[in-house]
Each structure stands twice: as C-alpha cells, then as structure tokens.
Amino acid sequence: MTKLRAGIVGAGIAGASCAGTLAAAGWEVDVFDKARGAGGRLSTRRFEQGWATLGTPFVSAKRDPFRSQLRDWVRQGWVSAVRGNIWQGRATISWAEAQLQNHYCPTIEPSQLVRKLLGSARLHTGHRVAALKPRTLVLDDGRELGDFDCVICSVPAPQAIPMLDALPLLRERLAEVRYRPIWSFLMRWDGGPAADVIKFDDHLLNLAVRQPSGGPGLWSVYATHEFSETYLEASEMEASNRAASALMGLLGLPWPVEIEASHLWRYARPENPVGGFWVGDRENRVALIGDGIAGVGVERAWESGLRLAQAILQSKEELAL
Ligand SMILES: Cc1cc2nc3c(=O)[nH]c(=O)nc-3n(C[C@H](O)[C@H](O)[C@H](O)COP(=O)(O)OP(=O)(O)OC[C@H]3O[C@@H](n4cnc5c(N)ncnc54)[C@H](O)[C@@H]3O)c2cc1C
C-alpha cells in the first residue's frame, strides 16, 4: 500500500511533535527548515567546551499530555528539574517564590530533544520554504514539491503570512497575531551573586541563567520586551554593549563582562494567538500549528503539533483536516 505523505514547514517543537506522531503511525514525513538544524526557538550554540542556549531556557508542564511527555524525558535523562539558587533584587529566594518550582531544563542540547521527537521523519535543513499551495510546498529556489496528502506550516505567524497568498482563508486567520521580540546574549563574567538564575526587577533586563556546559562563568541573559523593541533595528554590537552595561550596573560587577554571542528573536512570544491547537483548510489539505495558534510556550506548541497529528490520524474521513 502506498504510504500517506506529509510535508511540514519548520522543525521547532510544534513541527517535530506533529512529524514524529505521523511518522510513528506509518506516514512518510518530510520536514523542511531554513536553519542548519532542528530546534527553532529551542536551538543551541556550540562551543569548544560544550553548548549553551540563547533561546528557551526552561520547559514546564501545566497538564497532560505534556506532563507525561516531560516525565518520560526525565526518565530518559534528557531533562531535569531546575535546582539551585535564584537571586532576585538583592536577595536569594526560593524556587516557589520565583514561581519556578515546576520548571525543567534540558540536560542534553535542546535541539537534540526536538531532533528525537522527529522520530523517523526526514529532516531537510537549509531548506527555506517560500510558499504553500494546495498539497504543495514551494522552496525559495523555485522548486515545487507536490503530491503531499497534507501540508503543515509551523512557523511564527508573521513569517507564515507571506507564504499563504494561495490560501487566503488561512492567511486571514493569522492576520491579527502579533509577536514581541527578545534580545538574548551569552555573557561571561567573574563574581556576582552565587546563584544559578537571576531574575532582574528591571526595565532593560529580565533574566539570566547560568550555562552549565559552556565553561566557567557563562550565562544566558534575556532582555525585556521593552529593551528588545527599543533595540529592534540596532546592531548586535550596540544592543550587546547596552545590555552588558545594564548588567554590570545591576550586579555591581567590577570587571567588564565578555559578550560571546547575541541573538534577536524578532518573533519570540505571540501576544494574541489565534486559539485552539491548529487551524486547517480542509479542501486544500493545509493546516497551521505552533505557538501563534496555540499560545506561547513549549507545552502549547508541542501539543498543537500532537493534536493536529491525532486529528489527522483519527479522522473518520480519509485525511479530513
Ligand atoms: C528567548 C526566548 C525564551 C523563551 N523562554 C521560554 C521558556 O522558558 N519556557 C517556554 O515554555 N517557552 C519559552 N519560549 C517560547 C517557546 O520557545 C516557543 O513558544 C516555542 O518554542 C515555539 O515553538 P514553535 O515550534 O511553535 O516555533 P519555532 O520554534 O519558532 O519553530 C519554527 C521553525 O520554523 C523555521 N522556519 C521559519 N520560517 C521558515 C521558512 N520560510 N522555511 C523553512 N523553515 C522556516 C524556523 O527556523 C524554526 O525552526 C521562549 C522563547 C524565546 C525566543
């Protein structure tokens, strides 16, 4: 029997959970991502000494089914509960006070966690999709990949909209979704609070998380949305220098911090997601998933991919979206 085929745009957590679920049910699944690897906002930077994240630092589960997925990852040794000291303002506080008691962090590279979710789906990195058409993906080099039984798009709404000229009903559903940006930095410094997480009570910086595998004194530092909007069009150097001087002031550091990397997540968090887990254009066999639909966070994005895959598989009609 010929296998059913899905083409998925985006190998973030939403695309990967959808792809892995369909592949496990016997579908032939091809996932296309413009980046060099899987992960999306869970991707990592590699160093000589190890890896560090400029994206999502924590994963948490409010309910099943993600709660049991997280338990499984804990059993596999891929994530562990966040422990250690949190420094907020001028004091060390507990995880409960910081509302981080249900937070986990990956012990393997977060991008590998996403890679594992893909299962037997085929991942095509360095493939930027320019447009979606009924049952067809168009790559930016003009190649048309057709004959899919189902095409699924998991990229942030503002990046999906230009791909949807041939699917105006879906494009309209995304029209109102707005994202806020986050500048994040990898910085190394000596001294400062003896903590693993720093929560800033500040309008420029939001959070810093110690990176265990990138050598001593390496931290991921996350700016606030306000900072990120102010420096949206700034160069990496300008944004990094401003963040570093804010950090030195807040922590009272005597020595300059080293800035090792920076990244602007232009579409970091959706403010007003569509709602539900996925939206579909049944006639054209195209569906949209991801946090722009289901709401911000790894849990919601993961579940949106899972729910769409389950809807496809459980549908009484063949392939009804
Ligand atoms: C700095 C930061 C910190 C965060 N902290 C947390 C946290 O602590 N806890 C939490 O739960 N959530 C956090 N989030 C939010 C969380 O990361 C996201 O909600 C979730 O990862 C979204 O997953 P996704 O699969 O929907 O999208 P993405 O991860 O963005 O995946 C989309 C994929 O599509 C690809 N793509 C885009 N355009 C194209 C194209 N044209 N062709 C091919 N591929 C394309 C991208 O490369 C990407 O891999 C954070 C986000 C950021 C940015």
Side-chain angles (χ1 to χ4, degrees), residues 297-315:
V298 172
E299 176 172 21
R300 296 291 297 177
W302 174 88
E303 194 170 348
S304 82
L306 175 76
R307 297 276 187 173
L308 173 65
Q310 288 174 339
I312 292 170
L313 296 172
Q314 285 164 10
S315 170

Side-chain angles (χ1 to χ4, degrees), residues 8-17 31-43 53-62 66 100 103-104 114 124 126-132 138-140 153-156 159-160 163 179-184 206-207 209 221-223 225 263-270 289-302 304-305:
I8 300 185
V9 191
I13 192 97
S17 75
V31 183
F32 301 89
D33 202 294
K34 65 180 183 177
R36 278 179 299 178
R41 278 167 273 170
L42 280 156
S43 56
T53 180
L54 279 161
T56 310
F58 302 126
V59 182
S60 57
K62 290 200 175 76
F66 193 59
L100 288 173
H103 282 52
Y104 293 78
V114 175
H124 307 270
H127 282 64
R128 181 186 290 271
V129 174
L132 271 67
V138 185
L139 299 181
D140 69 348
C153 183
S154 72
V155 313
Q159 293 175 313
M163 297 182 201
Y179 278 71
R180 297 195 79 183
I182 298 179
W183 265 108
S184 56
N206 179 30
L207 188 73
V209 181
V221 178
Y222 299 91
H225 290 309
H263 186 79
L264 171 64
W265 299 96
R266 199 170 276 274
Y267 306 114
R269 295 173 64 90
I289 53 174
D291 69 352
I293 311 293
V296 69
V298 172
E299 176 172 21
R300 296 291 297 177
W302 174 88
S304 82

Side-chain angles (χ1 to χ4, degrees), residues 5-9 18 27 129 131-138 145 148-155 160 163-171 173-174 278-289 293 308 312 319-321:
R5 296 183 61 224
I8 300 185
V9 191
C18 189
W27 280 54
V129 174
L132 271 67
K133 292 183 183 171
R135 296 173 185 254
T136 304
L137 293 175
V138 185
L145 310 172
F148 290 111
D149 296 290
C150 179
V151 166
I152 296 159
C153 183
S154 72
V155 313
M163 297 182 201
L164 295 172
D165 285 350
L167 299 154
L169 289 180
L170 289 179
R171 197 183 52 205
R173 299 294 301 275
L174 298 183
W278 51 271
V279 292
D281 177 338
R282 186 190 181 102
E283 199 181 317
N284 291 312
R285 303 269 190 260
V286 180
L288 310 176
I289 53 174
I293 311 293
L308 173 65
I312 292 170
L319 302 181
L321 286 172

Side-chain angles (χ1 to χ4, degrees), residues 61-89:
K62 290 200 175 76
R63 58 188 204 126
D64 270 329
F66 193 59
R67 214 177 257 164
S68 49
Q69 172 72 90
L70 210 45
R71 272 199 295 269
D72 183 51
W73 288 346
V74 171
R75 268 195 300 275
Q76 305 269 9
W78 298 341
V79 302
S80 65
V82 181
R83 297 264 177 270
N85 293 325
I86 303 172
W87 193 81
Q88 186 168 35

Side-chain angles (χ1 to χ4, degrees), residues 163-219:
M163 297 182 201
L164 295 172
D165 285 350
L167 299 154
L169 289 180
L170 289 179
R171 197 183 52 205
E172 258 172 48
R173 299 294 301 275
L174 298 183
E176 300 302 320
V177 183
R178 303 274 173 270
Y179 278 71
R180 297 195 79 183
I182 298 179
W183 265 108
S184 56
F185 311 94
L186 285 176
M187 295 185 185
R188 203 181 287 279
W189 65 80
D190 283 334
D196 302 288
V197 174
I198 299 171
K199 284 196 94 183
F200 298 104
D201 185 13
D202 182 54
H203 67 291
L204 297 177
L205 298 182
N206 179 30
L207 188 73
V209 181
R210 191 187 286 279
Q211 297 297 295
S213 82
L218 185 67
W219 293 74

